[in-house]
Amino acid sequence: MIEIGSKNISKLDLSNSNLTEFPMEILNLKNLRKLKINNNKISIIPREIEKLKNLELLDLSNNNITNFYSKICSLKKLKVLNLNNNKIKTIPKQIANLKSLKTLQLANNKLSTLPEQFTLLESLQKLNISKNPFLEFPIQILKIHSLKNLWLNNLELESFPLLKIPSHLTNLISLYCYGKIINKNNLDKDFTRLTKIKGNCLPELLLINKSYNISNIKTKVTNKTSLNQVKKNKIFISYSHSDIEWLRKIQTNLKVLKFNNHDFDLWDDTKIKTGDKWKIEIEKALNVAGIAILIVSTDFLASDFVRSNELPLILKNAEENGTKILPLIVRPCRFTKDKHLSIFQSVNDPNKALSTLSESDKEIQLLNLTEDVSNILLE
């Protein structure tokens, strides 16, 4: 038990209290707006934290938290969330519910990807993802146009969108990349240069940008043309022919939406007619697809055709034109280890592939895919 005092208090500081568990008494403080419970030994945040509906600041830094519970994302008034120095591996897709969040501290955890829904943090101004095992710059950050301050210290990035940061993050005023790099061999050369600068390295980034050839401007013009072509009611299904049975199941489930006032065009390579130039037809469909459903299995991940002809354009449109990618894991595979695809939130748990589920659970996951498509179409 801890002594809290009045139930009407709006601020509570329990930092450095040697706590091993989250004090349940706190959950009765309905007027609480600021809660600091950092520098303790807490490993679990109770689901009931959603009761603190007026919370605006939550500091859970320097604890032993391994799971970022989605219930934290129910705190819709939250403006500041500090989770630095914990053991968190994933961010829940419900993060999109934190529409008021302005500051998010995630430094020194075990994050290697961010969910696609991260892009919906429309009020976020300060973000710290330093000292996490990211190998690629999380492209979701590029869509957070409100961002002003970004910390990337002590990251070992093998890819870094140097040219896109100033054009996408137009409100950015400071960028911090300084840090000691252990693995220098595969590091992006531009990012390596920035890691040597103490303090705000945004001016240096802009300077490097200017040194690149003007041909990059032409690329932006091309991208704008592509942006006008993408339509959310155009759906492309990418799959391996070894998974044709799953394709048919998805086609059947999506067909139901047609009878419920959903207007969309569904395309997969079974639409190609004899005599068609199949590569051209596939490229045309990919260029306009606002939704891409990936039927993921080992055969899919190992497909030379998928890797060379479909995925590059799908991923490009996701990054530059807003195409929504919906991976459905149908058979056990290395989806979570794939550096290009694992950044996208899969429809089902990657550790529970559809082929391992009961028939009723398979139908539930297919229904979830249908609901995801429906939600995108109705946005």
Side-chain angles (χ1 to χ4, degrees):
M1 292 286 291
I2 59 171
E3 291 293 332
I4 290 178
S6 171
K7 289 186 177 181
N8 293 319
I9 60 172
S10 61
K11 300 179 182 179
L12 181 62
D13 188 347
L14 295 175
S15 55
N16 299 294
S17 298
N18 204 31
L19 297 172
T20 57
E21 294 183 353
F22 188 96
M24 300 303 284
E25 302 95 315
I26 293 176
L27 302 174
N28 296 318
L29 305 177
K30 305 300 182 183
N31 293 322
L32 200 61
R33 285 176 171 76
K34 294 183 179 181
L35 173 59
K36 293 184 177 181
I37 197 166
N38 50 299
N39 295 298
N40 285 291
K41 301 175 183 178
I42 297 170
S43 59
I44 297 175
I45 304 302
R47 295 172 179 266
E48 293 83 359
I49 195 169
E50 63 180 340
K51 292 181 179 180
L52 301 176
K53 297 185 183 300
N54 289 312
L55 211 58
E56 295 179 3
L57 181 148
L58 177 59
D59 189 347
L60 296 167
S61 60
N62 296 289
N63 276 287
N64 295 316
I65 301 168
T66 57
N67 195 339
F68 185 157
Y69 292 103
S70 60
K71 293 298 182 182
I72 293 177
C73 301
S74 300
L75 304 173
K76 295 186 177 181
K77 293 186 179 181
L78 203 61
K79 295 180 180 178
V80 178
L81 176 59
N82 191 340
L83 291 166
N84 283 348
N85 304 311
N86 280 286
K87 301 175 182 178
I88 299 167
K89 294 182 179 180
T90 58
I91 304 295
K93 62 183 181 181
Q94 290 85 354
I95 189 81
N97 295 330
L98 296 178
K99 300 296 185 183
S100 299
L101 195 64
K102 292 186 176 181
T103 299
L104 178 57
Q105 302 281 355
L106 296 170
N108 195 21
N109 278 278
K110 297 184 177 182
L111 298 168
S112 58
T113 62
L114 297 177
E116 184 180 356
Q117 292 79 4
F118 203 84
T119 63
L120 300 176
L121 293 174
E122 57 192 30
S123 298
L124 195 64
Q125 296 181 9
K126 297 180 179 180
L127 174 63
N128 189 346
I129 60 168
S130 301
K131 206 173 182 182
N132 276 285
F134 288 101
L135 293 180
E136 296 189 351
F137 180 90
I139 59 173
Q140 295 86 348
I141 294 175
L142 293 176
K143 295 185 179 180
I144 306 177
H145 303 300
S146 57
L147 206 59
K148 294 183 178 180
N149 312 100
L150 177 61
W151 286 264
L152 305 174
N153 306 84
N154 293 290
L155 296 187
E156 299 189 359
L157 299 179
E158 296 176 3
S159 67
F160 183 67
L162 180 109
L163 298 174
K164 293 178 181 177
I165 287 177
S167 61
H168 286 65
L169 302 179
T170 54
N171 289 305
L172 197 66
I173 57 176
S174 64
L175 174 68
Y176 302 93
C177 300
Y178 181 77
K180 184 178 180 181
I181 304 301
I182 299 174
N183 178 21
K184 295 184 179 180
N185 294 330
N186 297 320
L187 215 63
D188 181 277
K189 63 177 183 178
D190 293 320
F191 184 70
T192 301
R193 181 170 167 179
L194 297 177
T195 63
K196 299 175 182 179
I197 300 172
K198 295 182 179 180
N200 183 9
C201 65
L202 185 59
E204 181 69 13
L205 181 144
L206 296 174
L207 185 63
I208 301 173
N209 246 289
K210 288 182 180 180
S211 69
Y212 279 88
N213 194 286
I214 194 69
S215 62
N216 289 296
I217 297 176
K218 296 179 181 179
T219 302
K220 293 178 184 178
V221 173
T222 302
N223 290 341
K224 288 181 181 178
T225 303
S226 300
L227 180 62
N228 293 330
Q229 295 174 353
V230 169
K231 299 177 181 177
K232 69 179 180 182
N233 69 333
K234 302 290 185 180
I235 304 174
F236 184 96
I237 302 181
S238 180
Y239 72 107
S240 161
H241 285 184
S242 299
D243 299 315
I244 189 73
E245 291 184 9
W246 292 108
L247 172 66
R248 292 177 181 136
K249 289 178 183 292
I250 291 171
Q251 289 171 331
T252 300
N253 276 267
L254 293 180
K255 187 176 180 180
V256 176
L257 293 179
K258 290 278 191 179
F259 297 103
N260 288 274
N261 299 319
H262 288 72
D263 181 27
F264 63 91
D265 293 323
L266 184 63
W267 201 97
D268 56 76
D269 65 8
T270 63
K271 302 286 186 182
I272 299 174
K273 300 175 182 178
T274 303
D276 283 347
K277 295 181 179 179
W278 55 273
K279 272 195 173 183
I280 295 176
E281 291 300 314
I282 289 174
E283 186 173 346
K284 283 168 59 179
L286 282 169
N287 277 331
V288 297
I291 302 174
I293 298 172
L294 311 183
I295 302 178
V296 184
S297 65
T298 297
D299 285 299
F300 175 88
L301 296 177
S303 170
D304 290 333
F305 181 83
V306 170
R307 290 287 190 179
S308 301
N309 295 279
E310 295 184 358
L311 276 182
L313 191 48
I314 290 173
L315 295 173
K316 178 183 176 183
N317 278 339
E319 178 179 355
E320 299 175 353
N321 303 327
T323 293
K324 304 293 186 182
I325 295 183
L326 302 177
L328 184 70
I329 317 302
V330 297
R331 290 189 282 142
C333 59
R334 288 176 58 84
F335 171 80
T336 58
K337 304 295 183 181
D338 190 292
K339 65 180 183 179
H340 298 295
L341 297 179
S342 60
I343 62 174
F344 298 102
Q345 180 75 29
S346 58
V347 175
N348 58 317
D349 185 338
N351 297 314
K352 296 179 180 178
L354 267 61
S355 63
T356 67
L357 304 179
S358 66
E359 285 302 314
S360 60
D361 286 336
K362 290 176 187 176
E363 293 299 326
I364 289 173
Q365 295 304 326
L366 288 167
L367 180 60
N368 287 341
L369 171 64
T370 306
E371 288 300 314
D372 286 345
V373 171
S374 174
N375 290 336
I376 294 171
L377 291 172
L378 296 175
E379 283 180 351

